Amino acid sequence: MDRQIERRTGPETMKYSLLSFFLPFTRYPYEGHAMPCPGCGHGKSTRVAGIDRRLKRLTTVACNHCGLLYTNPMPTDAELNAYYSDFYRFDYQAASTAPKEKHLAKRRNEAAIRVNQLEGLLPAHARTLDFGCGSGEFVTAMLALGHDAHGFEPGETYGSHAQSLHGERISIKGWQEVEYPERFDLVTCFHVLEHLRNPVDALKQMARWSAPDGRVYVEVPDLGSARGNKGFGALHFAHLLGFNHHNLIVAAARAGLVPEKIISPTGIIFRHGTIDDAAVENEAAKGSALTSALHGNGKMMSNYFRHQYRKITGAYR
């Protein structure tokens, strides 16, 4: 039976169903609107793909200034709120009532790795916040080390699981709704920023939540790597943005954050600070050149088929 959810948000009614998200060569059920680059704010972009990994119609453009890949037209806040509140976990991870053990085990391992990357950067009993904490594994790992860890998650399915473990330390709210009276030594955001239509505003909020000498640890998928380049196979409705190392730094700079420790090209621990305009423009130019080299001039299509061939032949082993 086709799963369908209808959610009324003001004058709009959002209707999501399995068919609307999996039936190939059809549009996703949203209207959206055209917008400038969510990362650097510049208005000119180039279309790089018209379909995504499900072979559904989804227009992705590359910013001509910083190279950020983004969905355009971009879904509205109302459309995204309806999708993430009621349908995302089922659509993305086939979890309708609770996280699967396979997912939980993977997230526990990831949390342990991320904790190790923070060694020497935090005071004892640090106050920490996980932005979009999912099922709560990073909060669990930080509490085990004696830190005062908190998190929030907008999705009911995973947020409820995290809340069942940690009670009032977890809020089931979106980042624009949650409030904290005290600032944090560390704010983390793992594989969340690419889901947001306004990443700079979110980074600014992370900066406000973090203490003047605090850190902001951001990790997103890397669409600036030649190895494993999936072409349009890396694109899908839930990921509105596709970062590389350089345009992630550009977006963070607009929020008053500068890199302190590079964990991976798109896994960076930031501190409060400013980068001069010339350096930001240099990062933007590098980001644009990298995106053009990897994804421009029809490469989204050819890279997709090259990636599929390498998977079939075992070339990635």
Side-chain angles (χ1 to χ4, degrees):
M1 180 179 293
D2 184 31
R3 177 184 175 91
Q4 179 166 307
I5 295 173
E6 179 175 305
R7 183 178 181 89
R8 185 167 296 280
T9 51
E12 302 169 307
T13 299
M14 309 302 161
K15 292 183 179 180
Y16 298 124
S17 68
L18 286 179
L19 284 179
S20 69
F21 277 87
F22 288 93
L23 193 64
F25 308 114
T26 60
R27 293 182 66 253
Y28 284 98
Y30 82 100
E31 294 301 323
H33 57 81
M35 65 181 297
C37 176
C40 72
H42 283 245
K44 293 186 178 181
S45 61
T46 301
R47 185 177 185 270
V48 294
I51 57 175
D52 73 351
R53 69 185 186 187
R54 291 175 176 163
L55 304 181
K56 290 186 65 66
R57 291 162 55 194
L58 184 71
T59 299
T60 298
V61 302
C63 173
N64 291 356
H65 182 248
C66 75
L68 181 72
L69 298 172
Y70 64 100
T71 300
N72 208 21
M74 179 69 72
T76 65
D77 283 328
E79 288 165 335
L80 289 173
N81 288 341
Y83 171 67
Y84 281 108
S85 295
D86 295 327
F87 201 75
Y88 165 66
R89 289 298 179 185
F90 185 84
D91 171 45
Y92 197 56
Q93 290 157 332
S96 57
T97 58
K100 295 184 177 182
E101 179 55 36
K102 180 180 178 181
H103 167 89
L104 296 175
K106 180 181 179 182
R107 295 295 179 261
R108 284 191 290 266
N109 181 61
E110 291 171 344
I113 293 171
R114 289 160 178 160
V115 165
N116 288 337
Q117 299 293 350
L118 291 162
E119 186 174 357
L121 294 179
L122 296 177
H125 312 298
R127 181 172 163 81
T128 70
L129 174 67
D130 195 14
F131 183 124
C133 67
S135 40
E137 288 74 24
F138 188 77
V139 173
T140 299
M142 296 303 280
L143 287 170
L145 293 176
H147 297 302
D148 181 15
H150 302 260
F152 65 87
E153 167 62 37
E156 180 72 28
T157 300
Y158 278 47
S160 294
H161 176 86
Q163 202 171 64
S164 73
L165 298 175
H166 303 303
E168 63 184 17
R169 291 181 177 276
I170 306 296
S171 295
I172 306 177
K173 293 181 179 179
W175 67 271
Q176 294 113 323
E177 305 166 318
V178 70
E179 295 181 2
Y180 296 98
E182 299 179 45
R183 299 178 83 173
F184 296 88
D185 299 297
L186 172 71
V187 178
T188 55
C189 183
F190 302 124
H191 289 251
V192 174
L193 202 65
E194 69 273 17
H195 296 264
L196 307 181
R197 68 191 304 273
N198 43 6
V200 175
D201 286 349
L203 287 163
K204 287 178 179 178
Q205 183 61 278
M206 292 181 222
R208 285 191 290 268
W209 279 331
S210 61
D213 59 349
R215 276 86 174 182
V216 174
Y217 184 178
V218 176
E219 183 182 291
V220 294
D222 182 10
L223 269 70
S225 174
R227 178 170 175 78
N229 187 338
K230 300 177 182 179
F232 66 79
L235 308 175
H236 53 103
F237 183 78
H239 284 191
L240 304 174
L241 313 174
F243 290 94
N244 62 39
H245 174 75
H246 306 289
N247 49 46
L248 178 57
I249 290 175
V250 170
R254 295 182 69 200
L257 297 169
V258 299
E260 177 171 352
K261 182 179 180 181
I262 308 296
I263 307 300
S264 67
T266 52
I268 303 175
I269 298 174
F270 294 95
R271 59 176 173 80
H272 292 262
T274 58
I275 305 176
D276 66 74
D277 291 344
V280 173
E281 288 301 302
N282 184 50
E283 292 291 348
K286 289 180 179 179
S288 179
L290 182 57
T291 293
S292 179
L294 292 175
H295 307 297
N297 299 317
K299 292 187 179 72
M300 279 285 187
M301 184 71 70
S302 59
N303 286 334
Y304 173 80
F305 289 108
R306 185 177 296 112
H307 175 73
Q308 297 302 318
Y309 175 77
R310 288 175 175 172
K311 282 175 61 178
I312 292 170
T313 60
Y316 288 129
R317 295 173 188 169

